[in-house]
Amino acid sequence: MRDRAARTRTGLTAKHQPASLEQDTRVRVDLAHLRGFEGKARSLRFLPAQPAGSVLNGRHASRLRGRGLNFEELRGYLPGDDPRTIDWKVTARTGKAHVRVYSEERDRPVLLVVDQRMTMFFGTRLNMKSVTAAEAAALTAFRVLDQGDRVGGLVFGDNYVAEVRPKRSQTARDQFLSTLVKANQELSANNPGTEDPQTLNRVLGMVARAAPRNHLVVVFSDFDGIDRSSERLVGQISRHNDLILCPVTDPISSEIPKDLKVVVSDGDLQVELDTTSKDTHARLSEFATGRLAGVLLWQHKFGVPVMPLSSGEDTVTQIRHLTGLAPQNRRSRR
């Protein structure tokens, strides 16, 4: 069962939703809410040196390679130079050992890819998945700019993709946040279905073209619709870039109740799901966990760091835990 554009009927319509629900940042974010993560982002780190418990550390079979290198010059070999930097072609041509000198890039472009399709407009405990993705992306945007990198991104829904080119400026960061807020606020349980909804593969193809090499790419998505083409694109992107995958799930995906009766609809058709049936419950459980299993497989195949996020838990607390940081005290939490 595909859950693109599927939603649970709540009895609420867009015209009659209570004002408190419309303003609830667990359902939809606003710019002020995302700006509130600036201070909380300062302790995070997306550079190669990571705490021992971080999923971005090399001990976890995946790591960040860091900024790229710029070629500076060729010069004669000096005692103490790393033999691996010797340019053997120039050495053979001149008869004297020469080395290639590089310097680390002062900054690198960071591309934040944020899924705001209808599959993300779902939540059973704390946040909508779309909100958790937006909060995590905002945290990352603040941190990478503060550490001296360029920030930009791709925000996509079912029928559009909005691109913000990576720049080392607060203007670019604020443009990205505004784009993210606009996409998030357009999500509604009453949105009509889309005839040709945006696929993750299309977006990954755009990422591969926008980030040919030496980028940090972070993808926040529920990874709906992944297939073998997705795997090929992930491998292509990770070959020349640092890539972090952040699959966003809802707690119900790992703990589907055995006595749940719910009606879901794509706007035209609807179906009742009854998990009292053992066969239905087993099929739903297999479907819900399949995508995460696929993403974790990429972690081992390509050495790509995976930071799984749950919409049922506080976003800052999860990211601090995943990056090996101690929990914040209660007063500093959201």
Side-chain angles (χ1 to χ4, degrees):
M1 182 189 76
R2 295 293 302 279
D3 63 353
R4 182 189 297 122
R7 63 260 190 183
T8 304
R9 289 196 181 277
T10 61
L12 297 173
T13 65
K15 294 182 179 180
H16 300 96
Q17 285 187 357
S20 58
L21 182 59
E22 287 291 333
Q23 298 168 5
D24 192 337
T25 54
R26 296 172 300 178
V27 178
R28 293 183 185 86
V29 299
D30 54 36
L31 197 55
H33 177 68
L34 294 187
R35 287 186 183 280
F37 288 93
E38 183 172 8
K40 301 171 185 178
R42 292 194 181 111
S43 61
L44 303 179
R45 186 175 177 84
F46 293 95
L47 293 172
Q50 289 286 318
S54 172
V55 297
L56 307 180
N57 186 286
R59 294 170 55 252
H60 294 263
S62 56
R63 67 182 184 89
L64 294 182
R65 290 169 291 193
R67 300 183 174 106
L69 298 175
N70 289 323
F71 171 71
E72 292 290 331
E73 62 174 342
L74 276 168
R75 62 164 172 80
Y77 178 85
L78 297 173
D81 284 341
D82 189 340
R84 291 175 296 181
T85 63
I86 294 176
D87 189 313
W88 294 106
K89 290 184 179 180
V90 175
T91 298
R93 188 169 63 247
T94 63
K96 294 182 179 180
H98 282 72
V99 295
R100 298 177 69 88
V101 180
Y102 296 89
S103 63
E104 186 180 47
E105 291 176 337
R106 286 190 231 170
D107 60 13
R108 63 176 166 178
V110 177
L111 205 61
L112 307 179
V113 184
V114 191
D115 189 345
Q116 295 289 287
R117 294 176 294 173
M118 275 301 297
T119 59
M120 298 287 287
F121 195 60
F122 180 81
T124 60
R125 187 168 298 175
L126 179 63
N127 290 337
M128 294 293 197
K129 292 190 293 183
S130 52
V131 168
T132 294
E135 291 179 345
L139 277 164
T140 308
F142 281 117
R143 190 63 195 112
V144 297
L145 184 62
D146 191 48
Q147 71 188 24
D149 289 326
R150 286 170 275 165
V151 65
L154 291 171
V155 180
F156 65 102
D158 284 297
N159 53 11
Y160 66 90
V161 179
E163 181 179 1
V164 178
R165 297 288 182 87
K167 295 181 181 178
R168 190 180 176 184
S169 72
Q170 293 184 2
T171 301
R173 180 202 65 198
D174 292 346
Q175 182 184 356
F176 170 75
L177 294 179
S178 296
T179 301
L180 183 51
V181 167
K182 181 180 179 181
N184 182 267
Q185 292 187 349
E186 287 181 356
L187 289 171
S188 169
N190 295 282
N191 283 347
T194 303
E195 290 186 6
D196 185 24
Q198 194 71 246
T199 65
L200 184 60
N201 286 349
R202 272 189 220 162
V203 176
L204 291 176
M206 295 178 66
V207 172
R209 293 187 291 272
R213 62 180 60 253
N214 294 339
H215 283 59
L216 170 61
V217 179
V218 191
V219 182
F220 305 91
S221 175
D222 62 1
F223 291 90
D224 175 53
I226 60 173
D227 55 22
R228 290 185 178 180
S229 294
S230 313
E231 182 174 308
R232 177 181 56 80
L233 288 164
V234 166
Q236 178 182 343
I237 295 167
S238 65
R239 195 171 301 120
H240 302 293
N241 301 280
D242 282 327
L243 175 62
I244 303 175
L245 303 177
C246 299
V248 184
T249 60
D250 185 83
I252 200 172
S253 64
S254 59
E255 36 189 81
I256 297 176
K258 294 185 177 180
D259 56 352
L260 177 68
K261 290 186 178 181
V262 64
V263 176
V264 296
S265 168
D266 65 358
D268 298 314
L269 303 174
Q270 67 181 41
V271 62
E272 181 178 359
L273 298 178
D274 183 358
T275 61
T276 56
S277 163
K278 291 183 179 180
D279 182 61
T280 300
H281 185 272
R283 288 174 179 269
L284 284 174
S285 297
E286 181 180 355
F287 167 76
T289 57
R291 275 178 278 177
L292 182 57
V295 175
L296 292 174
L297 181 64
W298 297 340
Q299 179 180 36
H300 296 288
K301 185 169 185 177
F302 303 118
V304 173
V306 174
M307 296 178 60
L309 299 172
S310 170
S311 62
E313 300 178 34
D314 177 74
T315 305
V316 177
T317 302
Q318 291 183 80
I319 293 181
R320 287 184 61 85
H321 173 73
L322 288 166
T323 54
L325 298 174
Q328 293 175 307
N329 60 54
R330 187 169 298 177
R331 285 183 296 178
S332 63
R333 292 181 182 174
R334 179 164 65 95

